[in-house]
Amino acid sequence: MTPTQRGAAPRRDRALRRATYRLQMHAGFTFGDAAAVAAYLAELGISHIYLSPVLQAAKGSTHGYDVVDPSAVNEELGGEEGHARLQAALGEAGLGQVLDIVPNHMAVSTSDNRWWWDVLENGPSSAYADYFDVDWGEPAPGTGSALSGYVVLLPVLGDHYGRELEAGRFCLVNAEGSFRVRYFDHEYPIAPRSLDQLVSRAARRLPRGFDRAARAEVESIGTALGRLPPSWATDRASVRERHRDKEVLRARLAALCAEHPEVQVALDAETEAVNADHDALDAVLQRQNYRLAFWRTASEQGQYRRFFDINDLVGIRVEDAAVFADSHRLVLEWLHSGVIDGLRVDHIDGLRDPLAYLCRLEEAGTGVWALVEKILEEGEELPDDWPVAGTTGYDWLNIVGGLLVDTSGAQRLAEVFAEFTGSDQSWEELVHECKMQVLNGALSTDLNRLVERLAHVCEHHRRHSDHTRRELRECLAEVISSYGVYRTYVVPGKAASGSDVAVVQRAVLEAGLRRPELDGELLGFVRQLLLMELAAPSATAAREQSELAMRTQQLTGPVMAKAVEDTAFYRYMPLLSLNEVGGGPHSAAVGPAQFHSWCATTHKRRPFTLLALSTHDTKRSEDVRARLSVLSEIPNEWAQTVHGWHQMNRRHRVADLPDPATEWMFYQTVVGAWPISADRVLAFLEKAMREAKVHTSWDQQNPIYEGAVQHFAAAVLRSRKFLAEVEALAGDIAGPGRSNSLALKLLTLTAPGVADLYQGTELWDLSLVDPDNRRPVDYGVRRSLLEKSAGVDLGELWSAGDVEGLSKLTMVHRALELRRRRPACFGDGEEGSYEPLEATGPSSEHCLAFGRGGQVVTAVTVLPLGLARAGGWRATTVRLPKGRWRDVLSGKDWSDKVDIGQLLGPFPVALLEKLN
């Protein structure tokens, strides 16, 4: 048993899956910190901690998604010893563990990522060349070329290569026979073959009378380096020879330096001479297997698949069996030994073939509890053949959140937003515009590579061989920007599913309607290619056609995410609580029938999926969204308030900034997260402005625009009159907002699935988008409140106003205790059945209730402000299943036909347990 397995025990019993608790791991919250809260989480009722990635990440990583070594535990989190102590603490507390893994990409922190370092040093002849998704450049045309072979572009420089070279930004260094080039804090390997001239010149620098044999050896090393097989020689014999000989030559050179200081002096002198001569240094750099380039070139040139548009993250070819084995070896060891019980698979849509990956994971993981980060659009379902328990919960987040939105009020807010901003652009038009912007900007290089592939395919089909690259680009861009989902899952040798056919056909149709000047036959050709329906004239053509389709599927997801989540959400925002991953302002409010249907289907198909409300990726925490949803119940009041604030704050505007949409967002953000400090608001605004990509962006920042908006916000947040009005409005909607929060949480804790609690959200948590939602959590406060929760009267606490969140924590604790006592009621099969309960009476639309397994009943208040304005519950009732029932939240007993005013009047939610 390895140190990381001490204290671990297999936890495969599905009845133990009550709730996960997400912990964000980083240098400020380590394995030791996680171990310290294990007992508290167990007492709260959690069954599994749910860790962000813990494999070795780039130095200083705050999230762990930039893995550099999947075979090691992150040293900044505590390394092997810290991990072992955490397992022991979890074993003592009786907690299982779900781990977040990153199969799609790795960080190109070259000095830490030995696989990528080897690729850069050896090019296509690297033992790890097939591990990364790289399109290598053309080979050297002849021996006279300065290039040593295939070259990969590295867009890492702060300015153009020539300018950085002439400014002396590069420095060649020698470390024990292994040369590298340094650029500020970054280092890149020097190909051994390119050192032949440097070492030969160093031999000529050795002093007269120097040991003749040693001199001859230095000269022979220089000659041998130049004779190493080139990097583009990838046959097995050449690869073995190259790797064997380069290490032998490196060791010989290091030994000579250690034995003869004169050799080290000569090498250092020659290295300094190269560093002092721009042309000489350039000559060395031109012979590498990579080309250092200005970071902006990545938007139009690029040879490796990235994670979205992040140049520091390179895609890995996990579809290859060897890559899967090497990148999953440690994780699978943990699964087999019982260290972890489940996996959260990050960015499943980035993989070449998600189904094949998941099947391999299931086979290797012996029935692992697998959950995928899959964003489902409205009406989309997780593929039936995926061997997973479900998603990480964004589908639930939007379904349950929709219960809190008043349909007519949301429509009115959209009208008011359009009037305030002066824009009549529809959401659909905006999304298309943002997709085209992304395809022509951040992801342009990815589109360019697809265009080249399509051009090669067209060469095999004479009816399309004359299309220009401009025509092909416009066609592909329009089709991709018309996808209504993140991606399709078409694979060679298998007919496309009906849903995938519908997605592609609709995208092609919309592209043709939007751009009638596009060649209709070309659009049809693209449709056939994307669905892999087109017969190929040759084996080569068949490979190119399938490659085009597979690569396109890996791009449509990033386009959707960058355009919608990271752009459109920051431009169009009538009601910010709707702008959430997997949803959006176009999402309709959810009624009881739709909610019950979703739950019944989930119980039948995916009873152990995750149900999330807040995650590290949500744009706002559950409590902020719950409060902001109240605005849909008072749209006219909100409109009057915004217009009033707009007039009040005119004096703080600079050059008529901010623009109306940003001002609207600013007001909703402050009200939704109130009380909030100015520095948190300003940090959010900086991110929001750059994500919107209208006046400024991360790539092309506009300090004048950003400064004007920040000046406005800071001045407004110093206005006593404004703050008093915010305080008043936030106070008015805080109560209904908290009622919404309790409803969200209790539904999540009792609906079909496994509840997921994001760190700290057992209390009120008014966080914004990351990094705001990764602020430290005060577990000391939570422990003390949990101790107080045993005898608390929730009705009294609620009527007194619960500012600190004890009511929420108490409800969470009691609900999880009920799940612990009656696990079968929340599992799969008939024992965990889901039964909708219908309220009757004048306010029936404000109650949502259901039963689980005939032993548990959940009832919550929805649209609480509308309920109050309608005069309360009045004579509304709900009939319970036969028997006597006790509310575990209030302690009161109920049976038969229940007056909802009595059930939910003192406290807005109820959780009933059948008394046997």
Side-chain angles (χ1 to χ4, degrees):
M1 182 173 287
T2 67
T4 57
Q5 295 167 359
R6 280 187 243 122
R11 294 185 172 279
R12 303 301 182 198
D13 187 350
R14 294 183 297 182
L16 291 174
R17 300 173 186 173
R18 290 189 303 275
T20 61
Y21 191 97
R22 172 75 175 200
L23 293 174
Q24 291 296 108
M25 309 299 294
H26 49 80
F29 191 89
T30 65
F31 292 134
D33 298 307
V37 301
Y40 158 73
L41 295 179
E43 186 179 353
L44 182 63
I46 299 298
S47 61
H48 292 75
I49 65 164
Y50 168 19
L51 299 181
S52 61
V54 301
L55 300 180
Q56 185 59 58
K59 293 175 181 176
S61 174
T62 59
H63 46 73
Y65 290 99
D66 43 1
V67 175
V68 295
D69 186 355
S71 67
V73 182
N74 195 329
E75 288 296 329
E76 293 186 354
L77 302 183
E80 289 279 349
E81 291 187 6
H83 191 251
R85 285 194 293 271
L86 172 59
Q87 305 319 310
L90 296 180
E92 292 174 7
L95 292 174
Q97 182 182 162
V98 175
L99 180 64
D100 197 343
I101 62 171
V102 192
N104 177 69
H105 57 268
M106 294 180 72
V108 292
S109 176
T110 48
S111 58
D112 297 323
N113 187 334
R114 60 184 177 86
W115 294 354
W116 184 246
W117 183 275
D118 194 88
V119 168
L120 295 185
E121 181 182 72
N122 299 292
S125 70
S126 166
Y128 302 102
D130 291 337
Y131 279 43
F132 298 98
D133 207 342
V134 177
D135 289 333
W136 291 94
E138 294 298 322
T143 56
S145 171
L147 297 177
S148 63
Y150 291 84
V151 177
V152 62
L153 182 80
L154 296 184
V156 296
L157 305 181
D159 202 347
H160 291 264
Y161 166 78
R163 298 172 187 172
E164 296 292 78
L165 176 72
E166 293 169 11
R169 309 290 191 204
F170 303 119
C171 179
L172 193 65
V173 295
N174 173 21
E176 299 180 353
S178 178
F179 285 77
R180 54 192 65 187
V181 62
R182 183 175 295 152
Y183 176 73
F184 291 100
D185 294 333
H186 303 282
E187 291 186 341
Y188 303 91
I190 295 296
R193 198 167 187 263
S194 68
L195 293 169
D196 56 345
Q197 297 176 22
L198 185 149
V199 173
S200 295
R201 290 195 300 268
R204 294 195 288 271
R205 287 179 177 269
L206 292 171
R208 291 182 181 179
F210 179 69
D211 185 285
R212 181 176 295 180
R215 182 192 298 274
E217 179 140 11
V218 175
E219 291 173 345
S220 72
I221 290 173
T223 301
L225 286 169
R227 292 176 178 172
L228 286 172
S231 61
W232 63 86
T234 57
D235 60 281
R236 290 186 178 180
S238 296
V239 169
R240 283 197 300 268
E241 179 185 346
R242 176 187 174 87
H243 281 265
R244 178 196 65 211
D245 291 354
K246 73 180 180 65
E247 293 303 322
V248 169
L249 294 172
R250 181 177 289 160
R252 285 171 58 192
L253 189 60
L256 280 170
C257 289
E259 186 178 350
H260 302 281
E262 297 91 340
V263 175
Q264 182 69 58
V265 171
L267 282 171
D268 289 343
E270 185 57 36
T271 301
E272 287 305 312
V274 170
N275 286 329
D277 185 337
H278 298 152
D279 292 335
L281 183 54
D282 177 55
V284 172
L285 295 178
Q286 291 297 329
R287 297 181 66 192
Q288 303 313 306
N289 300 300
Y290 55 85
R291 180 167 74 85
L292 300 174
F294 187 25
W295 66 270
R296 289 189 184 278
T297 61
S299 63
E300 294 187 28
Q301 304 176 52
Q303 294 158 274
Y304 58 85
R305 181 172 60 86
R306 303 167 293 171
F307 174 69
F308 293 8
D309 60 341
I310 302 176
N311 298 331
D312 293 334
L313 298 177
V314 59
I316 60 173
R317 299 182 62 254
V318 74
E319 64 271 14
D320 183 281
V323 179
F324 178 91
D326 280 356
S327 60
H328 287 67
R329 184 167 288 112
L330 182 56
V331 168
L332 292 176
E333 286 178 6
W334 288 342
L335 274 173
H336 295 153
S337 64
V339 169
I340 55 180
D341 306 293
L343 294 175
R344 182 253 193 202
V345 181
D346 179 63
H347 191 42
I348 189 69
D349 277 346
L351 304 186
R352 182 180 178 87
D353 185 348
L355 174 59
Y357 168 82
L358 291 170
C359 289
R360 179 172 280 158
L361 183 65
E362 182 189 40
E363 181 180 355
T366 60
V368 59
W369 179 23
L371 301 154
V372 290
E373 187 212 21
K374 168 60 188 167
I375 312 303
L376 297 169
E377 290 299 295
E378 190 172 351
E380 184 185 10
E381 295 183 353
L382 204 61
D384 286 330
D385 53 358
W386 282 15
V388 297
T391 72
T392 54
Y394 288 110
D395 44 345
W396 166 258
L397 182 155
N398 286 286
I399 282 288
V400 72
L403 287 170
L404 311 181
V405 177
D406 181 273
T407 302
S408 60
Q411 292 172 347
R412 176 58 183 151
L413 285 174
E415 295 170 359
V416 175
F417 179 77
E419 294 168 2
F420 186 76
T421 60
S423 172
D424 60 357
Q425 186 179 36
S426 70
W427 170 251
E428 292 73 20
E429 291 170 339
L430 174 62
V431 168
H432 176 263
E433 176 186 303
C434 292
K435 286 184 176 181
M436 292 299 290
Q437 180 179 352
V438 167
L439 281 168
N440 290 316
L443 299 179
S444 178
T445 182
D446 304 87
L447 179 59
N448 290 343
R449 289 204 299 272
L450 283 184
V451 170
E452 287 303 309
R453 291 185 183 279
L454 179 55
H456 288 304
V457 168
C458 287
E459 291 173 1
H460 297 287
H461 299 270
R462 60 174 177 255
R463 291 184 65 86
H464 298 285
S465 59
D466 287 344
H467 286 298
T468 66
R469 278 166 172 72
R470 178 188 60 79
E471 290 177 295
L472 299 180
R473 196 177 201 282
E474 290 181 354
C475 180
L476 270 181
E478 283 295 341
V479 171
I480 290 173
S481 67
S482 298
Y483 268 52
V485 297
Y486 276 66
R487 67 165 284 175
T488 53
Y489 303 96
V490 185
V491 293
K494 182 179 178 182
S497 68
S499 58
D500 284 346
V501 170
V503 167
V504 174
Q505 288 190 160
R506 180 172 179 176
V508 170
L509 176 62
E510 289 187 3
L513 291 173
R514 186 178 289 111
R515 294 284 302 280
E517 73 276 15
L518 292 177
D519 187 315
E521 189 174 340
L522 176 59
L523 283 170
F525 182 65
V526 168
R527 183 194 69 80
Q528 288 182 293
L529 289 171
L530 295 182
L531 292 174
M532 297 192 191
E533 296 176 346
L534 187 68
S538 67
T540 299
R543 286 193 299 272
E544 291 180 351
Q545 288 177 193
S546 63
E547 191 67 17
L548 171 69
M550 299 295 278
R551 294 283 183 174
T552 301
Q553 292 180 134
Q554 286 180 288
L555 178 59
T556 57
V559 171
M560 175 76 87
K562 292 298 296 180
V564 178
E565 298 169 30
D566 294 347
T567 307
F569 275 1
Y570 293 93
R571 295 188 190 180
Y572 187 85
M573 47 219 148
L575 183 60
L576 284 175
S577 60
L578 291 177
N579 284 21
E580 199 47 81
V581 181
H586 63 298
S587 301
V590 174
Q594 183 182 355
F595 176 85
H596 290 314
S597 175
W598 190 95
C599 288
T601 301
T602 298
H603 174 258
K604 181 180 179 180
R605 297 182 60 210
R606 309 279 184 183
F608 297 107
T609 189
L610 274 196
L611 307 179
L613 291 176
S614 298
T615 77
H616 58 289
D617 280 333
T618 46
K619 304 302 180 184
R620 290 156 197 87
S621 70
E622 61 205 62
D623 293 332
V624 172
R625 296 196 310 274
R627 182 188 290 182
L628 286 175
S629 291
V630 178
L631 297 181
S632 70
E633 300 189 70
I634 52 169
N636 293 325
E637 291 92 330
W638 174 251
Q640 294 172 3
T641 298
V642 170
H643 283 292
W645 286 344
H646 178 68
Q647 294 299 321
M648 177 197 307
N649 297 323
R650 290 175 68 92
R651 60 195 177 92
H652 300 303
R653 302 173 69 82
V654 177
D656 204 29
L657 294 174
D659 54 278
T662 301
E663 187 176 3
W664 176 285
M665 178 177 58
F666 165 66
Y667 293 143
Q668 273 202 23
T669 299
V670 172
V671 169
W674 188 261
I676 184 171
S677 62
D679 60 327
R680 287 178 58 207
V681 175
L682 297 179
F684 168 80
L685 279 176
E686 179 183 78
K687 179 167 186 171
M689 288 185 288
R690 293 177 182 176
E691 295 282 31
K693 305 175 188 66
V694 177
H695 306 284
T696 186
S697 67
W698 295 107
D699 289 349
Q700 296 183 341
Q701 297 168 21
N702 184 338
I704 296 177
Y705 170 78
E706 292 183 13
V709 174
Q710 298 277 26
H711 169 82
F712 170 84
V716 169
L717 291 172
R718 290 193 297 267
S719 167
R720 293 183 180 181
K721 188 174 188 304
F722 174 76
L723 295 181
E725 293 190 12
V726 169
E727 180 81 33
L729 177 59
D732 289 342
I733 65 174
R738 289 171 185 159
S739 174
N740 281 343
S741 292
L742 294 176
L744 288 176
K745 207 67 165 181
L746 187 59
L747 292 173
T748 301
L749 291 164
T750 57
V754 179
D756 173 38
L757 282 72
Y758 185 71
Q759 59 180 29
T761 59
E762 63 269 38
L763 294 183
W764 309 131
D765 177 68
L766 299 172
S767 294
L768 304 175
V769 71
D770 71 287
D772 193 66
N773 61 15
R774 285 188 265 118
R775 288 171 295 140
V777 175
D778 190 335
Y779 286 105
V781 168
R782 285 159 176 78
R783 284 192 192 92
S784 63
L785 288 177
L786 184 58
E787 292 173 0
K788 291 171 55 177
S789 69
V792 69
D793 184 311
L794 289 176
E796 290 182 2
L797 179 63
W798 185 254
S799 62
D802 178 21
V803 176
E804 58 186 354
L806 177 57
S807 60
K808 187 179 182 184
L809 182 143
T810 302
M811 182 195 72
V812 169
H813 177 52
R814 294 179 184 178
L816 290 177
E817 280 299 305
L818 176 58
R819 288 195 67 143
R820 190 199 302 270
R821 288 196 303 274
R822 295 184 178 269
C825 292
F826 300 94
D828 53 352
E830 190 59 33
E831 288 184 308
S833 62
Y834 180 88
E835 179 187 1
L837 299 177
E838 185 177 354
T840 58
S843 296
S844 59
E845 71 272 18
H846 293 284
C847 175
L848 186 133
F850 58 82
R852 297 298 310 275
Q855 304 293 312
V856 175
V857 167
T858 295
V860 303
T861 303
V862 295
L863 303 178
L865 199 56
L867 172 66
R869 292 185 169 188
W873 290 109
R874 293 169 284 172
T876 305
T877 61
V878 63
R879 184 172 294 280
L880 300 176
K882 290 182 180 180
R884 293 176 56 245
W885 300 79
R886 176 165 295 162
D887 185 353
V888 301
L889 302 181
S890 69
K892 296 179 181 179
D893 291 350
W894 306 91
S895 62
D896 301 326
K897 191 175 183 179
V898 174
D899 185 309
I900 296 180
Q902 296 180 25
L903 179 68
L904 300 181
F907 193 64
V909 300
L911 180 59
L912 311 183
E913 180 181 16
K914 192 171 186 179
L915 299 174
N916 295 325

